[in-house]
Amino acid sequence: MPIIELATHINAPIQQCFDLARSIDVHVASTRQTGETAIAGRTSGLIELGESVTWRARHLGKWQTLTSKITEFEYPNFFTDEMVEGAFKSFRHEHYFFPVKDQTLMKDIFMFESPHGFWGHVANAVFLKWYMTRLLEKRNKVIKEIAESPPAP
């Protein structure tokens, strides 16, 4: 099972980073390149424990839908979303937030299993882990940019 671990330092309070990371609207903004939209479940605002969202996006040249659910939630330190239905055999995305003085260390741990046995392992090795890492890095960059932007007048 591939595991992606990312750490992002953000010059903003932990509560703000936590809320940006669970914002459906921020997620949509961070995935513009895939045309991602929330089509069912929680479709805007801040997702909460027990809620799900269904996404539709174009990945690797194909339109796909994926539903994930918030299965663990401890404000403002940690939440987990897990795939309920979609292209993966499974995935689990853990989001951790650590206060560091007046800043936040945001840590992602993303674990996934590809379908199709041997061919899924080949896809992971050849491109899928790289592709998913880039998507998560883009998402974190958008969260950081929004969090560190001066407030609107």
Side-chain angles (χ1 to χ4, degrees), residues 9-147:
H9 294 271
I10 303 174
N11 187 16
I14 189 172
Q15 295 87 349
Q16 181 183 10
C17 297
F18 187 90
D19 286 345
L20 288 170
R22 66 189 179 108
S23 167
I24 302 295
D25 307 298
V26 170
H27 183 89
V28 168
S30 74
T31 56
R32 282 205 166 91
Q33 72 280 6
T34 66
E36 194 150 342
T37 56
I39 61 169
R42 168 68 84 156
T43 58
S44 66
L46 302 178
I47 196 161
E48 301 281 349
L49 179 64
E51 291 185 321
S52 63
V53 57
T54 299
W55 301 103
R56 178 167 166 75
R58 188 172 183 91
H59 291 286
L60 305 170
K62 181 181 176 190
W63 283 101
Q64 301 181 30
T65 58
L66 181 141
T67 302
S68 64
K69 181 177 183 175
I70 303 299
T71 58
E72 297 175 294
F73 190 95
E74 182 189 310
Y75 185 85
N77 304 303
F78 171 77
F79 72 93
T80 299
D81 59 284
E82 297 186 67
M83 188 190 82
V84 175
E85 190 174 324
F88 293 97
K89 185 174 180 182
S90 69
F91 86 57
R92 177 181 171 89
H93 186 179
E94 298 174 355
H95 308 256
Y96 295 91
F97 302 84
F98 303 97
V100 181
K101 297 185 181 179
D102 293 333
Q103 300 182 357
T104 301
L105 171 62
M106 181 174 72
K107 185 173 182 182
D108 292 274
I109 302 175
F110 185 82
M111 299 156 273
F112 66 96
E113 271 188 279
S114 298
H116 311 303
F118 171 77
W119 293 113
H121 292 294
V122 170
N124 292 342
V126 173
F127 66 90
L128 196 53
K129 185 174 180 183
W130 173 86
Y131 181 81
M132 294 307 300
T133 300
R134 300 292 86 69
L135 282 176
L136 292 170
E137 288 173 341
K138 172 69 173 160
R139 176 186 166 279
N140 289 356
K141 180 180 178 193
V142 169
I143 290 170
K144 180 178 174 70
E145 287 172 355
I146 293 170

